[in-house]
Amino acid sequence: MARTKRRMISTTPVKERVFLVGVEWRGTKWPIEKSLDELGRLAETAGAEVVGRMVQRLQTPVPRTFIGPGKVEELIQLARNLDVDTIVFDDEITPSQQSNLERLVGEPTKIIDRTALILDIFGLHAQTREGRLQVQLAQLQYLLPRLRGMWSHLAGEQTRGGIGSRFGQGESQLEVDRRMVRNRIATLKRELANLSLRREVQSKSRTASTAFRIALAGYTNAGKSTLLNMVTGASVLSEDKLFATLDPTTRAMVLPGGRTATLTDTVGFIQKIPHNLVEAFKSTLSEVRDADLILKVVDAADEDRERHREAVDDVLHEIKADKIPSLTVFNKVDLLNPDERAVLARREPEAALFSAHTGEGLERLLELITAEASATDKLMTLRIPYAEAALLHDIRTQGTVLQETYEADATHVVAKIPRHIERRIGRYVDRGDDY
């Protein structure tokens, strides 16, 4: 009997075909092509394939369809010719604009915007309970005014799926009724408030431990996680993707001289970051707001690094962290040629030039951090009784010991003392010395 030849069926997921739409506004700081390049990377991070793009110059959005009627007709033809699954607008569109566009383009093509795309990526990358709750809250707040316009693809999630239709992932059923969505939002806010209280307790515990707190802030994909791994010896996930790190990660480190510190990595920033997302992640971003020092990590090899710095500063201002002492770290300097590196060093003499990949500049980076950590220290001469061994340990790990000698009943110490432990050692000051 002849054998029947069986055809193998591929189980490889088919990438969603995405088309990008951008509007060039007068006076914008970001060139539209650069912004669409970044939007394309976001789409690829979400697992899609970008098959084309379109740009229109406008002074104000068209109320009904965001872009002009002629461009809408062109978009309809391109979507059909390119077999587009999803059209992504670079700017946030209103619920009515989204509904009108979906009706004109026709099913099964979806219409979403940059905000929905970012929320979708966050939904994919959130690992901790708090992170998932924060993403769900931001997604539902975005969804609430769009229930009617988004119902068609939310109801058919199993058949259509893909970017923009994963909102509410992890729920047995997405609440499509406005009242139920509001109730869910209220529940999420209560749960996040409770988690925020726990985070505050943990933060106070870290403060009580007298460790110098350092937070990493930077544009997404600037290399913050790789920097944390290099400096602390950790093994935090670091990938060449936007938003590879979402949940905060804290690791301990020892600075030159013996002072202990904590280094915290949080979500990367991006231009046009959704306001709802900043609001939802405020408890996570409090790790930045409560830091003693912020390391602003910049991709030195990125030609848009100055725009990235501005975007980071904007978010730090929004979360009220712009007054905290900071140190700029230009990462990935190994990708610069010698002339570029020399120019950057002249322009940014107070910054650290560093490569988290090769370790170049690590010694200077640690020296600069140590200098910041001891900037407000007070020179003191102390006699610490041997019974106060814990206090002596704090002085060694949190201060800078310049001289240490042993006497019959105490340890004689000359050290630079941080302000947060100064009040604990007042009675051990050696009044016989002038300091």
Side-chain angles (χ1 to χ4, degrees):
M1 181 184 296
R3 292 184 180 179
T4 302
K5 188 175 182 180
R6 296 181 180 179
R7 187 177 63 178
M8 299 296 291
I9 299 175
S10 173
T11 58
T12 305
V14 178
K15 286 191 175 183
E16 196 167 343
R17 295 172 66 81
V18 166
F19 190 89
L20 311 179
V21 179
V23 172
E24 186 173 8
W25 310 105
R26 180 181 295 177
T28 184
K29 292 188 292 186
W30 283 74
I32 185 60
E33 291 300 333
K34 292 289 185 182
S35 192
L36 286 179
D37 287 345
E38 183 175 86
L39 187 66
R41 289 203 65 197
L42 287 168
E44 290 165 0
T45 299
E49 175 189 4
V50 178
V51 297
R53 62 172 64 181
M54 168 191 291
V55 174
Q56 182 175 27
R57 290 183 180 179
L58 288 175
Q59 291 188 0
T60 57
V62 176
R64 186 167 176 270
T65 54
F66 193 78
I67 55 176
K71 281 294 183 181
V72 172
E73 288 299 322
E74 185 182 342
L75 181 61
I76 292 171
Q77 289 302 316
L78 286 169
R80 291 172 181 169
N81 294 339
L82 296 173
D83 193 23
V84 172
D85 298 305
T86 303
I87 296 170
V88 186
F89 281 73
D90 192 36
D91 295 281
E92 188 167 326
I93 56 178
T94 67
S96 62
Q97 289 167 344
Q98 178 181 359
S99 179
N100 292 334
L101 286 164
E102 285 205 331
R103 186 169 59 253
L104 291 167
V105 175
E107 291 199 10
T109 305
K110 294 174 295 185
I111 306 292
I112 65 171
D113 56 23
R114 174 185 275 256
T115 297
L117 180 58
I118 292 174
L119 290 173
D120 191 87
I121 295 169
F122 273 51
L124 290 172
H125 288 187
Q127 298 296 323
T128 66
R129 171 172 169 75
E130 184 177 21
R132 290 192 294 268
L133 291 177
Q134 288 167 328
V135 172
Q136 283 186 33
L137 174 60
Q139 288 176 337
L140 288 175
Q141 288 173 329
Y142 176 83
L143 170 66
L144 184 58
R146 292 171 168 80
L147 278 176
R148 175 178 292 182
M150 294 185 71
W151 165 251
S152 59
H153 72 267
L154 287 167
E157 181 175 336
Q158 289 185 343
T159 57
R160 297 184 69 191
I163 298 171
S165 59
R166 290 186 277 250
F167 287 10
Q169 220 173 20
E171 300 292 327
S172 59
Q173 179 182 351
L174 180 64
E175 302 90 345
V176 295
D177 178 80
R178 291 180 185 273
R179 179 179 58 81
M180 295 180 69
V181 171
R182 290 193 184 98
N183 289 343
R184 179 59 179 159
I185 287 173
T187 300
L188 288 171
K189 285 183 175 180
R190 285 194 298 270
E191 291 186 58
L192 285 169
N194 291 333
L195 289 174
S196 181
L197 287 175
R198 292 185 198 174
R199 184 180 291 280
E200 287 180 16
V201 170
Q202 292 171 350
S203 179
K204 288 178 181 177
S205 175
R206 284 196 294 271
T207 303
S209 72
T210 69
F212 185 74
R213 292 171 298 173
I214 308 165
L216 298 173
Y219 209 77
T220 183
N221 208 40
K224 297 185 286 79
S225 297
T226 310
L227 186 152
L228 182 139
N229 289 339
M230 170 65 72
V231 172
T232 67
S235 55
V236 175
L237 171 68
S238 58
E239 295 183 282
D240 186 20
K241 289 183 179 180
L242 303 184
F243 300 121
T245 301
L246 183 58
D247 300 299
T249 302
T250 300
R251 294 291 183 269
M253 60 182 294
V254 179
L255 298 173
R259 177 174 296 196
T260 59
T262 59
L263 185 61
T264 300
D265 183 20
T266 59
V267 61
F269 302 152
I270 197 170
Q271 65 135 345
K272 301 180 183 178
I273 191 165
H275 180 74
N276 280 349
L277 204 55
V278 176
E279 283 295 313
F281 273 75
K282 271 192 172 176
S283 63
T284 298
L285 293 172
S286 67
E287 297 286 349
V288 178
R289 195 170 57 245
D290 295 337
D292 299 306
L293 175 68
I294 297 175
L295 297 186
K296 296 181 180 179
V297 184
V298 182
D299 183 347
D302 196 309
E303 60 184 20
D304 292 316
R305 68 189 182 208
E306 292 307 317
R307 294 190 185 95
H308 293 176
R309 292 175 75 177
E310 289 180 14
V312 169
D313 287 340
D314 288 344
V315 177
L316 290 177
H317 176 74
E318 187 170 352
I319 65 173
K320 295 180 173 57
D322 51 325
K323 304 299 183 184
I324 297 172
S326 63
L327 171 64
T328 300
V329 181
F330 285 100
N331 190 23
K332 306 185 184 181
V333 295
D334 56 301
L335 301 179
L336 301 179
N337 62 46
D339 290 339
E340 291 172 329
R341 202 175 307 186
V343 170
L344 183 59
R346 286 197 301 271
R347 288 180 179 174
E348 304 280 349
E350 297 181 357
L353 273 59
F354 177 71
S355 170
H357 179 65
T358 66
E360 177 186 350
L362 177 60
E363 184 176 346
R364 171 168 163 75
L365 173 60
L366 294 177
E367 287 175 356
L368 290 173
I369 294 174
T370 303
E372 290 288 344
S374 60
T376 59
D377 289 357
K378 184 177 181 180
L379 183 62
M380 305 184 75
T381 302
L382 309 162
R383 280 191 171 84
I384 309 297
Y386 289 124
E388 294 286 354
L391 180 57
L392 183 60
H393 175 267
D394 286 346
I395 293 172
R396 288 169 175 162
T397 57
Q398 295 306 309
T400 303
V401 176
L402 304 177
Q403 182 181 341
E404 184 174 324
T405 55
Y406 302 98
E407 301 175 352
D409 57 351
T411 303
H412 183 272
V413 178
V414 179
K416 292 182 178 179
I417 306 296
R419 291 186 184 277
H420 56 258
I421 62 173
E422 188 178 333
R423 62 180 179 274
R424 295 168 51 201
I425 59 177
R427 56 181 171 163
Y428 301 120
V429 173
D430 187 345
R431 302 294 178 183
D433 291 292
D434 186 19
Y435 59 87

